[in-house]
Amino acid sequence: MAQTLTLCDEYGIIYEAMKILPNNELKIGFLEALAELEDQECHRTRQFPKTRLHKVKGVKQAIYRADIDKISGWRIHLQYINGQIHLKDIIEGQRHNDVIEVIKSKKSRYE
């Protein structure tokens, strides 16, 4: 049985995603992305084939972004806090290139 990491959603990112993602394909992609992020084995091997999890460069905090869908540009922002994954934001496909501006606009969410 696969071991999982704890996923925290204090900002209601899962609810927001189900509300704003434009189609069922992206909603399923979002759930698949969460499953990969929770999978301890992906973290142990540092391989994230679905989400391509990587650290955001150019910000002081350790913020990571994960793909929901590479082509549409929808992303998830998250941080690791005390060994847990904390979902911080869902980024629309058209805004994923403005990552620093998106983070600054919701500065209070990020530690």
Side-chain angles (χ1 to χ4, degrees), residues 22-92:
N23 60 49
N24 286 337
E25 186 176 313
L26 286 172
K27 290 176 184 178
I28 290 169
F30 176 76
L31 295 176
E32 290 172 345
L34 292 181
E36 184 177 274
L37 293 171
E38 284 183 317
D39 187 347
Q40 176 70 32
E41 186 65 14
C42 291
H43 292 274
R44 189 184 68 77
T45 61
R46 297 181 186 258
Q47 293 185 4
F48 299 90
K50 167 75 179 154
T51 62
R52 302 180 318 131
L53 182 69
H54 61 279
K55 189 174 180 181
V56 175
K57 295 178 181 173
V59 292
K60 186 170 49 175
Q61 307 94 330
I63 300 169
Y64 294 84
R65 62 193 300 202
D67 292 349
I68 296 172
D69 178 71
K70 181 181 175 185
I71 296 171
S72 68
W74 285 87
R75 306 283 192 264
I76 305 167
H77 283 181
L78 57 106
Q79 288 186 295
Y80 293 96
I81 301 171
N82 298 326
Q84 300 173 328
I85 298 169
H86 289 252
L87 299 177
K88 296 296 181 175
D89 205 358
I90 181 167
I91 310 300
E92 290 181 40

